[in-house]
Amino acid sequence: MSDTPVDADEVRHVAELARVDLDEDEVEEFAAQFADILGYFDALDEVPEVDREDELVNVMRPDEVRDGLTQEEALSNAAETEDGFFKGPRVS
């Protein structure tokens, strides 16, 4: 779909950044899928711009300061805490 093919080295590089191990069949499959995705972005470039509505208003409510949880309340359902903080699993 895209005019710019994605080569196997680019797929391997992205996989390495994502810490994903791919075999050669998967590299070829992802190369084709990445090329299709880039083709979809190329198609978006062809969508005409739309005139902006001048009288748009923000429909969001204003921020209001409210009392939150105490540290003890916030940590009460945590599976594991350490020194008053949430403790999560170790990441490499």
Side-chain angles (χ1 to χ4, degrees):
M1 187 166 205
S2 174
D3 295 335
T4 308
V6 178
D7 66 24
D9 289 335
E10 290 173 308
V11 172
R12 286 187 199 95
H13 177 69
V14 171
E16 182 180 328
L17 292 174
R19 297 181 179 173
V20 175
D21 293 326
L22 299 177
D23 62 34
E24 283 307 307
D25 290 337
E26 291 171 318
V27 168
E28 295 304 318
E29 181 180 348
F30 278 105
Q33 290 176 358
F34 286 159
D36 287 345
I37 291 167
L38 292 175
Y40 298 134
F41 279 101
D42 290 342
L44 288 176
D45 289 337
E46 298 171 16
V47 174
E49 290 189 30
V50 177
D51 291 334
R52 200 184 105 178
E53 180 64 42
D54 291 333
E55 297 182 28
L56 290 179
V57 294
N58 186 353
V59 296
M60 303 293 282
R61 65 171 171 75
D63 289 337
E64 296 175 7
V65 177
R66 298 189 293 186
D67 291 335
L69 299 174
T70 66
Q71 185 174 11
E72 185 177 295
E73 291 170 332
L75 296 173
S76 66
N77 288 323
E80 207 172 334
T81 63
E82 184 175 291
D83 298 325
F85 297 97
F86 292 100
K87 184 173 181 183
R90 182 175 291 255
V91 178
S92 60

